[in-house]
Amino acid sequence: MVLTSCCTPLARRQIDTHPDPSHAFSQHQLREMAPVKVFGPAMSTNVARVLVFLEEVGAEYEVVDMDFKVMEHKSPEHLARNPFGQIPAFQDGDLLLFESRAISKYVLRKYKTGEVDLLREGNLKEAAMVDVWTEVDAHTYNPALSPIVYQCLFNPMMRGIPTDEKVVAESLEKLKKVLEVYEARLSQHEYLAGDFVSFADLNHFPYTFYFMATPHAALFDSYPHVKAWWERIMARPAIKKISATMVPPKA
């Protein structure tokens, strides 16, 4: 179940807190377990990343929204969860975590099943390829794409800051070079780490989702394998559910 604070029920999911990831609890046991908490607005890219993986594993969770207008993310209560005053923060009992990719890996390890194995840690080579493309997303893809999202959507629509077209143009050129590499890779495999969907692929979701609301979304049409890969990602039930909470501002 997804719960939002101040605690409006939205949906219910199953969780597994047994230290052996292969162990399966009964549905009754799963319903009795307390939900984990994710602090931050669902439309945030980094919060959405965590929520997607919680949905992928079927975990029960509660979304605790934060009021940025009153600087709630800088409050002593939140700084105890995330000392940098950022979002998301994550709570599972007495465990507090921050950094969305680290939280997401924790979720995938804790709730791993035979049906949901997005880290592929049982196979050394596959896990290594997942790590490679996760790093590419964080350090190459996202730095090229995210400035376009900020300049075309977040800055003008949410902050009242005009779009810097020079930054957009420079970022588009960087993104084209990245997408050329992705096109070559995805012409050989259905997904980035191989012929299986993984943590690496789904990490691309939050910012790419918002990129598709910018005037430059048609760029993906020039890379047919990348476009098909993105469509496969968007077809996943977890992605559909979380994207419905991420209504982008109009470009």
Side-chain angles (χ1 to χ4, degrees):
M1 185 175 203
V2 187
L3 306 171
T4 57
S5 284
C6 300
C7 295
T8 304
L10 297 177
R12 184 167 290 275
R13 290 287 187 172
Q14 61 185 9
I15 68 173
D16 178 352
T17 57
H18 195 280
D20 177 0
S22 66
H23 181 86
F25 285 97
S26 70
Q27 290 300 312
H28 174 73
Q29 287 173 306
L30 293 169
R31 286 193 294 269
E32 291 300 314
M33 293 177 183
V36 299
K37 293 182 179 181
V38 182
F39 296 85
M43 70 176 295
S44 157
T45 52
N46 289 329
V47 173
R49 173 180 289 112
V50 173
L51 299 185
V52 160
F53 290 111
L54 285 164
E55 285 291 334
E56 285 283 344
V57 300
E60 185 179 359
Y61 61 91
E62 176 183 343
V63 178
V64 183
D65 205 350
M66 307 207 75
D67 190 341
F68 282 77
K69 292 181 181 178
V70 299
M71 301 293 286
E72 189 176 0
H73 57 302
K74 301 297 184 182
S75 68
E77 292 82 4
H78 188 67
L79 290 173
R81 305 180 197 109
N82 185 331
F84 298 102
Q86 303 294 325
I87 56 169
F90 177 89
Q91 183 175 4
D92 183 6
D94 60 359
L95 176 67
L96 294 172
L97 298 174
F98 53 94
E99 294 297 337
S100 63
R101 289 177 178 83
I103 295 168
S104 298
K105 285 185 175 182
Y106 170 80
V107 166
L108 292 177
R109 288 168 179 148
K110 177 173 180 177
Y111 304 118
K112 177 185 173 183
T113 67
E115 296 179 355
V116 183
D117 183 14
L118 294 171
L119 294 174
R120 312 294 285 199
E121 290 179 333
N123 183 304
L124 184 62
K125 291 183 179 180
E126 290 180 355
M129 292 307 297
V130 173
D131 287 345
V132 166
W133 287 97
T134 298
E135 292 296 313
V136 172
D137 168 57
H139 302 298
T140 305
Y141 179 93
N142 200 54
L145 181 141
S146 62
I148 302 167
V149 173
Y150 276 95
Q151 291 297 330
C152 293
L153 291 184
F154 296 163
N155 284 355
M157 304 300 167
M158 300 173 68
R159 301 171 180 173
I161 302 174
T163 298
D164 187 329
E165 297 296 347
K166 182 172 183 289
V167 171
V168 172
E170 291 173 350
S171 297
L172 283 169
E173 290 307 308
K174 293 177 183 177
L175 181 58
K176 288 175 185 178
K177 293 178 181 178
V178 174
L179 292 178
E180 288 173 5
V181 175
Y182 274 55
E183 181 70 9
R185 175 66 178 173
L186 292 166
S187 69
Q188 299 175 340
H189 300 281
E190 282 196 28
Y191 295 97
L192 292 171
D195 293 318
F196 52 87
V197 67
S198 77
F199 180 70
D201 301 291
L202 301 189
N203 265 299
H204 290 70
F205 160 67
Y207 273 105
T208 308
F209 174 78
Y210 284 126
F211 176 82
M212 292 302 177
T214 75
H216 305 287
L219 177 63
F220 273 47
D221 294 341
S222 300
Y223 307 90
H225 290 95
V226 175
K227 185 176 180 180
W229 162 77
W230 174 245
E231 290 173 349
R232 287 193 292 274
I233 290 174
M234 286 300 298
R236 296 181 69 80
I239 296 289
K240 287 182 178 179
K241 181 169 183 177
I242 299 306
S243 64
T245 71
M246 299 168 64
V247 180
K250 295 181 180 179

